[in-house]
Amino acid sequence: GKPPSSHYKVCATYFDGFRATAVCAVGGPKSLEKGRKTAESILKRTRRIFTQLGLDDYTAVNVQILGSESTYGPNARMVGDNGPREAVVWLAVHHSQKKALEIFSREVAPAGTGMAPGLTAVVGGRPNVSPVLKPFFFLYPKKDVKIDIFINGRFVETFKAERTFETDAQSSPEVNTNDELKDLPSGPHSYRLEELAYTRSGDKGNSANIGVIARHPLYYPYLKRALTAEVVEEYFKHLLQKEPSDSCLVTRYELPGIHGLNFVLRKSLGGGGIASLRSDPQGKAFGQMLLDVVVKDVPDLKSLIE
């Protein structure tokens, strides 16, 4: 590890309106289409009511049809024969006024009796309206923080931290491995990443981490060559909220001691945590999604470990 930095990390939250999520199961032929039409009808109906009552439109809306691989974006597999016969509607909305989402919650129920056939139930009953507390992170200099110690209500002393060993040196991302990998053999074989590595993912605010660990040390150089930050960013670009001022939202870190790679995907969770309207607000499935990436033009890697 490294010495502590000269700053404290401060995690704060602030109020940012309200949210509600309706989750509905749909069965029968063309479930994906019926689920999507149902969500669109609920939104159209509630927006008409908002207009009549002089309420603003939704601040944000997220419609996902679970079963259609919508979270995979352009990497989704084509589903033939009118798609699956079971699907789940994920309809999440955000509004600055609680009253508006109470109307939304009330208007979801009629979908089961008056909209597309096959809508079986609203999971959990009528959607709950809850406040959104968004996280905000910043660094604050330790030298500007005064720590007074009290025992039984009496002042004892002012704590003065030993700051001799502090450092603000940052961990460096991937090192230049072009020379190391330029002589790596190529070949006619291809492998899904799942055959060569384990993955696991999670969140840090609005950023996601994906850890990739080679199943065998001999696979590691090929993973470094194939899984660049650019490749991972291209794969998840449909989930990244990239702005014109952003150069690259994915950073790769190498962990040679465990034959691993760590990818940090900034602005990838739609706000993250309770602030996100997505079905995977913590990026827990990102690592599993990455397992379908194909590592191409490599030798027979399985023979290397036999």
Side-chain angles (χ1 to χ4, degrees):
K2 293 184 177 181
S5 74
S6 61
H7 291 72
Y8 288 114
K9 178 183 178 183
V10 183
C11 302
T13 58
Y14 63 95
F15 174 72
D16 186 42
F18 298 88
R19 61 165 294 162
T21 304
V23 181
C24 312
V26 186
K30 299 183 180 179
S31 288
L32 301 182
E33 182 180 349
K34 289 189 292 187
R36 192 171 290 108
K37 290 289 187 181
T38 297
E40 292 172 354
S41 297
I42 293 172
L43 292 173
K44 183 178 180 180
R45 177 174 177 149
T46 52
R47 280 173 167 143
R48 185 168 60 245
I49 297 174
F50 291 173
T51 300
Q52 293 171 349
L53 296 178
L55 297 173
D56 293 334
D57 193 7
Y58 295 107
T59 312
V61 172
N62 181 44
V63 178
Q64 290 179 242
I65 309 302
L66 306 182
S68 68
E69 298 198 5
S70 59
T71 56
Y72 281 82
N75 307 305
R77 294 171 179 165
M78 297 298 292
V79 181
D81 299 326
N82 295 319
R85 291 176 291 179
E86 294 177 334
V88 175
V89 179
W90 179 279
L91 173 56
V93 292
H94 181 278
H95 202 284
S96 59
Q97 293 181 263
K98 186 176 182 179
K99 178 182 178 180
L101 294 194
E102 288 174 341
I103 294 172
F104 165 82
S105 177
R106 189 169 60 245
E107 293 300 321
V108 166
T113 55
M115 294 188 185
L119 191 71
T120 62
V122 178
V123 179
R126 181 179 291 183
N128 293 320
V129 179
S130 57
V132 173
L133 298 177
K134 276 192 174 180
F136 181 74
F137 310 100
F138 61 94
L139 299 177
Y140 195 81
K142 291 180 179 178
K143 63 181 180 61
D144 294 338
V145 178
K146 182 182 179 183
I147 303 176
D148 291 333
I149 300 176
F150 291 81
I151 299 179
N152 296 328
R154 292 179 52 193
F155 172 77
V156 178
E157 63 176 326
T158 297
F159 174 75
K160 295 182 179 179
E162 174 57 61
R163 300 175 53 216
T164 307
F165 301 104
E166 293 176 352
T167 178
D168 288 324
Q170 297 183 354
S171 299
S172 58
E174 59 182 89
V175 295
N176 188 348
T177 55
N178 290 337
D179 293 338
E180 174 189 344
L181 302 177
K182 67 179 182 180
D183 296 326
L184 201 61
S186 297
H189 297 272
S190 297
Y191 297 92
R192 289 179 60 250
L193 181 60
E194 186 176 18
E195 300 179 81
L196 306 178
Y198 306 98
T199 64
R200 193 171 180 90
S201 56
D203 68 313
K204 287 293 181 292
N206 195 24
S207 297
N209 275 72
I210 304 177
V212 180
I213 300 179
R215 290 180 179 267
H216 192 280
L218 292 178
Y219 297 163
Y220 187 51
Y222 295 95
L223 295 181
K224 287 197 292 183
R225 185 173 71 179
L227 288 181
T228 63
E230 292 75 18
V231 166
V232 173
E233 178 160 337
E234 177 65 21
Y235 189 78
F236 288 103
K237 65 180 181 181
H238 61 288
L239 296 176
L240 302 176
Q241 295 174 311
K242 196 167 187 177
E243 300 175 4
S245 59
D246 295 322
S247 55
C248 182
L249 292 181
V250 176
T251 305
R252 187 183 83 172
Y253 296 86
E254 297 181 9
L255 295 86
I258 60 170
H259 310 105
L261 301 170
N262 182 40
F263 295 91
V264 178
L265 290 69
R266 297 187 297 114
K267 301 181 181 180
S268 60
L269 298 174
I274 194 173
S276 176
L277 299 181
R278 297 180 184 176
S279 61
D280 184 14
Q282 297 175 313
K284 296 295 186 181
F286 282 18
Q288 299 302 297
M289 294 165 68
L290 192 64
L291 291 176
D292 283 322
V293 167
V294 178
V295 179
K296 301 178 180 179
D297 302 323
V298 295
D300 184 359
L301 299 181
K302 298 297 180 69
S303 67
L304 297 178
I305 63 174
E306 292 177 351

